Amino acid sequence: MFRSAPLLACCAAVLFAAPAFAEPPRSLGITVAPLGAYVLKGEEVGRTMGYSAGLGWAYRKAGAVLEVGGHLASSRLLTEVTPMSVRFVPLGDTRVRPFLGLGASLLMAHTRPQPVAPDALGSRVLQVGLEFSGGVGLELGHELFLSAEARYQNFAADGDPFSGDRQTLTSLFLGMGMRL
């Protein structure tokens, strides 16, 4: 019995000294943004304003300064989607996380334009453009966060994505998110 006591003590010391394997950090964030507003400007459209709601997502590794995200936002007149954008998060894993992003966007009108009188969104139903975004996330706990994001998107008003006939969409969204 006394011979096995040192062996038993060594085994117990190894068990208690071994690092505990923590749950892996949550890396997929889903944001619901019910409060949104937009302003659409362009040659054909003039200036159109409205309210919008959105759904966003972001994937990141713990400690990384880059993440991949995207969003879908819809209003009474249009739907815009950025399937993928790259975001620079200079502060990494902190409670307050500002970011800057760049991505490709699609803008879809809910009504098809008439050949005689195009609607307020121009002559194209699907428009391709570039998005610049910036925002901040505030961690509320281990899994919940608040989010505020501003976006500037520039779309081609006709079929050529490099056309000089452009439309701009500026929007702001406030929402709450959860890490999955």
Side-chain angles (χ1 to χ4, degrees):
M1 168 108 177
F2 291 109
R3 285 186 186 178
S4 62
L7 180 60
L8 188 58
C10 286
C11 288
V14 167
L15 285 175
F16 288 115
F21 294 106
E23 180 181 325
R26 307 231 184 240
S27 56
L28 178 64
I30 303 293
T31 304
V32 176
L35 301 173
Y38 70 90
V39 176
L40 178 68
K41 291 189 251 180
E43 276 295 310
E44 291 183 30
V45 300
R47 182 176 178 173
T48 305
M49 297 184 292
Y51 297 105
S52 185
L55 176 68
W57 56 90
Y59 176 79
R60 69 181 175 95
K61 286 186 166 185
V65 295
L66 289 178
E67 67 183 21
V68 177
H71 69 272
L72 170 79
S74 188
S75 69
R76 186 175 62 86
L77 295 177
L78 56 94
T79 297
E80 55 98 359
V81 62
T82 300
M84 187 175 88
S85 67
V86 177
R87 297 176 179 170
F88 173 63
V89 185
L91 301 180
D93 295 332
T94 58
R95 183 172 157 82
V96 177
R97 299 185 62 242
F99 69 87
L100 294 172
L102 176 67
S105 293
L106 300 171
L107 177 69
M108 295 161 276
H110 289 185
T111 58
R112 294 197 173 271
Q114 302 299 321
V116 177
D119 66 354
L121 293 174
S123 60
R124 300 287 302 167
V125 174
L126 178 64
Q127 298 163 348
V128 179
L130 187 64
E131 173 188 276
F132 298 101
S133 62
V136 65
L138 174 64
E139 299 288 332
L140 297 177
H142 185 61
E143 297 175 357
L144 295 176
F145 60 93
L146 292 175
S147 174
E149 184 173 356
R151 301 182 193 123
Y152 172 82
Q153 296 163 303
N154 192 320
F155 296 98
D158 57 15
D160 180 13
F162 301 108
S163 167
D165 189 15
R166 311 296 291 176
Q167 295 177 347
T168 61
L169 178 66
T170 307
S171 53
L172 175 66
F173 290 90
L174 300 173
M176 183 165 217
M178 180 168 68
R179 303 227 182 271
L180 302 177

